[in-house]
Amino acid sequence: MQISGAEILVRCLQEEGVEFVFGYPGGAVLEIYDAIFRQDKFKHVLVRHEQAAVHAADAFSRSSDKVGVALVTSGPGATNAVTGIATAYLDSIPLVVISGQVATPAIGLDAFQEVDMVGITRPCVKHNFLVKDVNDLAATIKKAFYIAQSGRPGPVVVDIPKDVTQHRAEFHYPDSVHIRSYVPATRGHSGQIKKAVNLLLEAKRPFIYVGGGAVQGRAEAEVTELVRMLGVPCTNTLMGLGAYPGSDSQFLGMPGMHGTYEANMAMQHCDVLVAVGARFDDRVISVPSHFLSRPKKIIHIDVDPSSISKRVKADIPIVGDVKLVLRDMLEQLKQSGGKPDAAALAQWWKQVEAWRGHNCLLYTPSDELIKPQAVVQTLYEVTGGQAIVTSDVGQHQMWAAQYYKFDRPKQWLNSGGLGTMGFGLPAAIGAQLANPNAQVACITGEGSIQMNIQELSTAKQYHTPVKVLALNNRYLGMVRQWQEFFYGTRYSESYMDALPDFVKIAEAYGHIGFKVENPSDVEPVLREAFSDKLKERLVFIDFRTDQSENVFPMIQNGKGLDEMDLPPHMRDIQQVPFENNRDYGNMC
Amino acid sequence: MRHILSILLENEAGALSRVVGLFSARAYNIDSLTVSTTEDPTLSRMTIVTHGSDEVIEQITKQLNKLIEVVKVIDLNESEHIEREMMLIKVRALGKDREEMKRMADIFRGRIIDVTEKTYTIELTGTSEKLGAFIEAVDRAVILETVRTGASGIGRGERVLKI
Ligand SMILES: Cc1ncc(C[n+]2csc(CCOP(=O)(O)OP(=O)(O)O)c2C)c(N)n1
């Protein structure tokens, strides 16, 4: 029996086991919306802006192991989705985004609501398709899901002209896909793994650097086993938080621009570095030349060969699925019977503990002003470290990453690659739908939240009881911090004038709003927000925080990992050249 | 350093723009590009002449391989290869220049493929350098128009690029 293209699409999504489609209707996709109406296998979530549809689908994926699905109309719907697609692309998140297109005879004629979606998204998708014939539709959707989640994951756009959704064809969903030109790596080269194992056993100052690839590749168990078996310190990048438990003593905190003193010093001074699904981003190592100014051997494991030796040359490159590579590595490590150099490790840990002893995340508490760090720490306590936390972009994002200890992967969702303000709230909605019983908190700023605040309406419609914590410093805080450091405190356009009353906004959308101005109210209000009484409600908390607080440590552009701007209580120690540090002995 | 990359890719709409887009998005250079289908109609073959450090070429190769439609990429520079480019050049050919032009074309093994009272159009094939040398050798003032295909290359001997 022949069915319409729209019906075929719906059947494909059902075959893929899709539970939620996040979208927004329009002329080009009306046929699809009609077909969705006539089925009840998956739910459609109507967002208020297409950017939010993609972020919500993205976070649905980030907080589960499924592919996120978004549906947008042609033209403005499609262009609104681009920021979300680029966000997912830079963070390697598996998504299938379906966009409507004008009918095939109208393509290329500057038709109403026509935009070259395949052209516009080409630089920010893993792959994209324009389906010109209804007979190709099912196979294309199958390919899209396969490409999105295999190898290095990423977003795939399928652009479907309106007439293709109307044309009829037999439905046949392929069981499997074979694309001769696309064969993602799986097992790592055993010879290389052997070399890596030997190098690790010889290391005097080993360090393990874990990125988002370990989260996406679900390699947390293997990462944890490796770190513990070797007894070495490790770090998780912003995207890797949770891959190794954040509350464990072998974890030194996040590295990079706003990383901890101990993680950055260890990264700079180690002799063998294992990068696991991490790509030496400029926000992590700043400039490669400085990072390499201390000789070290680098073992780099990644599913994407182009991530290896892109910024920093790897001595031992291992291309493969991180989980499988680490398994092979652990196996070889066990079989080799070798043991790490205990004496050297003890020395190394002594140094690491000395660095850690400075307590670089210490801040000055206050009875008068709400310290943003304290809000995050209190959230951690109130939620018992169990919440799924989304964030937007800015100072609050860095404080969230620094002060909430993530023990599981897929618990921390943020736009690390593109740095998209407006991600937090729609992401929280997507995460809540994927994890109906979880506590979901969105840590945001008064600037960021206003980029997609209309999603409070979506949250109302779908009863997603997320807790929004706005760290409201009345500034585009991160911009203000840079202007303070690098532009002579000329706060050009970083002051958020004419701020709305967020409590009233929350109430206007049918939610609960609190305004908190006193540090002593932070904990009670958070307890109330997460209490059973408000379990079913979205709560928006407007924390009026200390306006002058800055994120430390900080590495300025072009500076090395051991040239951090440190918080006030550490300003002196930065002066002590590392080599003269007695604790370090003659290991350098 | 100058490199000559050979790429086999699916003969699909949009595949070429993906390759070209990759170069522009990542700020790599394309010195020349030729593309056409192969004896297998499902496959196109592309030759890209580019330049860059070894690290840049390594990245280009990896990024190209990452494109879904790209089946294979080889750097012809890595072993012996043959390279050809074709040029059509239209020159003024009047009076004593006419004889001179004919002689030059012969020396470079060119063929005069179109003749008018005042012009010759010459077809020349060879490496890019040879074509360049021809342009250098003739008086600039007589060149009316040139069109070049860009280099295409193939490995020497038994070595083939196939799936
Ligand atoms: C869409 C978008 N526009 C601009 C920026 C640049 N930017 C980065 S952080 C920031 C300030 C964010 O302010 P706010 O949300 O109030 O957070 P705070 O830094 O104060 O915690 C800006 C404007 C961005 N990351 N994303």
Side-chain angles (χ1 to χ4, degrees):
Chain A
M1 193 188 68
Q2 294 210 326
I3 56 175
S4 74
E7 284 163 333
I8 290 177
L9 173 63
V10 162
R11 292 278 296 274
C12 294
L13 298 179
Q14 292 172 347
E15 292 279 341
E16 287 294 335
V18 169
E19 293 162 77
F20 288 99
V21 172
F22 300 86
Y24 206 89
V29 286
L30 279 177
E31 207 75 35
I32 300 172
Y33 272 86
D34 195 51
I36 289 175
F37 188 85
R38 287 183 277 106
Q39 61 88 47
D40 57 7
K41 288 235 176 71
F42 61 82
K43 293 200 184 63
H44 180 275
V45 175
L46 177 70
V47 293
R48 272 40 174 177
H49 186 294
E50 289 87 351
Q51 183 188 343
V54 185
H55 289 329
D58 167 321
F60 183 87
S61 172
R62 287 187 205 232
S63 64
S64 67
D65 287 321
K66 296 161 192 158
V67 179
V69 181
L71 169 60
V72 299
T73 192
S74 69
T79 53
N80 271 350
V82 172
T83 303
I85 294 169
T87 302
Y89 179 65
L90 278 196
D91 289 343
S92 305
I93 307 302
L95 278 193
V96 172
V97 178
I98 293 150
S99 54
Q101 182 55 274
V102 300
T104 42
I107 291 180
L109 304 179
D110 302 327
F112 176 65
Q113 295 196 328
E114 178 183 358
V115 68
D116 172 12
M117 185 60 166
V118 166
I120 279 187
T121 59
R122 192 176 295 128
C124 58
V125 289
K126 183 168 175 190
H127 196 58
N128 57 19
F129 298 95
L130 168 65
V131 184
K132 287 195 216 145
D133 184 337
V134 68
N135 293 299
D136 299 336
L137 183 56
T140 306
I141 299 291
K142 181 82 191 178
K143 276 189 201 165
F145 275 86
Y146 170 64
I147 292 172
Q149 56 195 317
S150 52
R152 178 178 180 171
V156 179
V157 166
V158 185
D159 200 31
I160 312 179
K162 178 154 185 172
D163 56 333
V164 172
T165 66
Q166 292 164 325
H167 294 159
R168 301 175 81 80
E170 276 319 312
F171 175 68
H172 167 68
Y173 203 60
D175 296 328
S176 62
V177 193
H178 170 72
I179 305 173
R180 65 176 169 184
S181 52
Y182 175 67
V183 189
T186 48
R187 297 290 288 268
H189 190 280
S190 68
Q192 293 292 88
I193 294 173
K194 185 165 187 184
K195 276 198 218 158
V197 165
N198 291 339
L199 190 59
L200 269 170
L201 290 173
E202 286 162 17
K204 307 275 180 232
R205 303 187 304 279
F207 192 49
I208 300 189
Y209 152 60
V210 184
V215 172
Q216 282 308 314
R218 292 316 300 247
E220 66 271 15
E222 290 76 11
V223 163
T224 306
E225 192 177 346
L226 182 72
V227 173
R228 298 219 170 123
M229 191 189 254
L230 293 171
V232 299
C234 76
T235 184
N236 293 334
T237 66
L238 182 70
M239 292 308 298
L241 290 177
Y244 185 84
S247 60
D248 190 90
S249 64
Q250 278 173 259
F251 179 62
L252 303 191
M254 179 173 82
M257 181 176 271
H258 293 299
T260 63
Y261 181 67
E262 51 270 35
N264 284 339
M265 292 298 272
M267 188 105 174
Q268 183 69 1
H269 292 279
C270 64
D271 67 346
V272 174
L273 182 74
V274 193
V276 182
R279 59 198 174 110
F280 297 95
D281 188 77
D282 52 295
R283 293 281 151 143
V284 173
I285 60 155
S286 194
V287 274
S289 57
H290 195 111
F291 172 66
L292 296 172
S293 64
R294 278 207 160 253
K296 47 177 88 68
K297 292 273 185 222
I298 294 171
I299 301 164
H300 194 162
I301 306 169
D302 208 294
V303 71
D304 173 11
S306 74
S307 284
I308 299 180
S309 300
K310 180 168 67 180
R311 300 196 76 231
V312 166
K313 187 122 192 92
D315 298 284
I316 305 181
I318 307 175
V319 178
D321 178 290
V322 286
K323 191 179 178 80
L324 299 180
V325 171
L326 288 179
R327 274 194 190 162
D328 287 348
M329 205 166 188
L330 286 163
E331 193 53 43
Q332 288 207 22
L333 203 54
K334 285 173 201 160
Q335 275 177 10
S336 80
K339 289 267 172 293
D341 182 337
L345 268 182
Q347 272 276 48
W348 177 225
W349 270 111
K350 204 167 156 200
Q351 176 57 59
V352 166
E353 293 302 354
W355 286 325
R356 179 144 67 181
H358 292 294
N359 204 354
C360 71
L361 295 182
L362 200 69
Y363 59 91
T364 319
S366 161
D367 292 339
E368 275 137 45
L369 295 170
I370 297 178
K371 293 287 173 175
Q373 302 95 325
V375 177
V376 178
Q377 277 178 331
T378 313
L379 175 72
Y380 178 72
E381 284 153 23
V382 167
T383 55
Q386 292 301 312
I388 293 177
V389 178
T390 75
S391 91
D392 269 297
V393 176
Q395 290 183 315
H396 62 272
Q397 173 191 29
M398 292 302 134
W399 286 317
Q402 289 175 333
Y403 293 91
Y404 200 103
K405 297 188 204 82
F406 296 98
D407 280 349
R408 325 185 290 274
K410 304 210 150 213
Q411 194 191 351
W412 160 242
L413 322 176
N414 92 116
S415 168
L418 196 67
T420 313
M421 289 170 72
F423 177 81
L425 178 57
I429 294 171
Q432 186 78 78
L433 289 169
N435 303 270
N437 299 319
Q439 293 177 325
V440 178
C442 163
I443 297 180
T444 184
E446 79 292 341
S448 292
I449 191 68
Q450 291 189 78
M451 287 224 174
N452 269 322
I453 201 162
Q454 75 289 341
E455 297 310 315
L456 285 173
S457 179
T458 308
K460 183 70 192 166
Q461 183 171 347
Y462 298 96
H463 311 290
T464 47
V466 306
K467 315 300 172 200
V468 180
L469 282 62
L471 305 184
N472 183 350
N473 51 10
R474 281 82 72 212
Y475 270 115
L476 298 175
M478 192 56 100
V479 173
R480 201 220 73 228
Q481 176 167 348
W482 282 54
Q483 289 171 335
E484 183 180 324
F485 287 17
F486 312 122
Y487 297 92
T489 65
R490 290 182 297 281
Y491 295 144
S492 177
E493 307 295 329
S494 55
Y495 184 68
M496 269 292 183
D497 208 356
L499 279 176
D501 181 335
F502 288 113
V503 172
K504 279 191 182 153
I505 290 193
E507 287 171 357
Y509 278 110
H511 302 301
I512 290 174
F514 294 124
K515 180 164 148 183
V516 184
E517 287 173 298
N518 201 318
S520 60
D521 293 335
V522 170
E523 188 180 335
V525 168
L526 278 172
R527 292 224 177 271
E528 185 173 355
F530 285 95
S531 68
D532 278 350
K533 193 177 85 193
L534 298 183
K535 206 169 181 273
E536 309 291 318
R537 303 296 301 271
L538 183 148
V539 182
F540 190 119
I541 316 173
D542 178 9
F543 290 100
R544 297 303 176 108
T545 56
D546 182 351
Q547 290 194 275
S548 61
E549 200 58 58
N550 285 326
V551 184
F552 287 112
M554 172 165 183
I555 299 175
Q556 301 186 14
N557 281 337
K559 291 270 176 95
L561 281 172
D562 54 358
E563 297 177 311
M564 286 162 271
D565 284 339
L566 292 166
H569 74 278
M570 286 175 75
R571 296 272 151 86
D572 298 341
I573 69 117
Q574 200 182 17
Q575 309 306 320
V576 183
F578 182 74
E579 279 77 4
N580 296 345
N581 191 322
R582 276 180 297 119
D583 284 342
Y584 203 64
N586 55 4
M587 280 167 55
C588 272
Chain B
M1 190 181 144
R2 178 179 183 275
H3 285 253
I4 176 159
L5 303 178
S6 261
I7 306 162
L8 273 187
L9 75 168
E10 301 286 349
N11 184 12
E12 279 170 12
L16 172 63
S17 63
R18 246 183 256 284
V19 172
V20 176
L22 186 153
F23 274 77
S24 63
R26 293 183 186 267
Y28 303 141
N29 304 291
I30 294 186
D31 296 334
S32 85
L33 181 157
T34 61
V35 59
S36 188
T37 48
T38 62
E39 77 286 358
D40 173 350
T42 67
L43 282 176
S44 293
R45 176 148 171 171
M46 204 183 257
T47 309
I48 294 186
V49 179
T50 180
H51 60 270
S53 62
D54 288 351
E55 291 79 48
V56 168
I57 301 298
E58 183 181 335
Q59 258 306 306
I60 292 178
T61 312
K62 285 175 168 177
Q63 294 292 347
L64 283 170
N65 270 311
K66 215 160 105 177
L67 295 178
I68 306 288
E69 289 109 333
V70 168
V71 185
K72 253 187 189 171
V73 180
I74 59 166
D75 183 349
L76 285 176
N77 283 41
E78 280 169 4
S79 60
E80 289 216 15
H81 66 277
I82 305 161
E83 202 184 310
R84 286 289 181 274
E85 178 173 351
M86 189 178 77
M87 172 167 73
L88 300 178
I89 177 164
K90 189 177 290 179
V91 291
R92 199 183 314 279
L94 285 169
K96 67 171 179 21
D97 282 349
R98 220 166 156 82
E99 237 339 272
E100 173 65 16
M101 239 355 169
K102 171 89 178 64
R103 272 217 339 264
M104 282 297 273
D106 286 345
I107 291 169
F108 280 82
R109 291 184 219 275
R111 293 199 300 145
I112 298 174
I113 54 174
D114 186 49
V115 178
T116 69
E117 261 169 44
K118 293 179 187 164
T119 67
Y120 281 155
T121 299
I122 306 164
E123 174 199 308
L124 275 157
T125 337
T127 61
S128 304
E129 294 86 69
K130 176 181 154 187
L131 305 189
F134 183 81
I135 292 178
E136 290 299 312
V138 301
D139 180 1
R140 280 278 154 144
V142 305
I143 300 177
L144 297 171
E145 192 181 351
T146 61
V147 52
R148 299 170 68 154
T149 58
S152 53
I154 197 163
R156 263 193 195 280
E158 307 279 291
R159 192 173 179 232
V160 291
L161 173 61
K162 246 195 145 106
I163 50 171

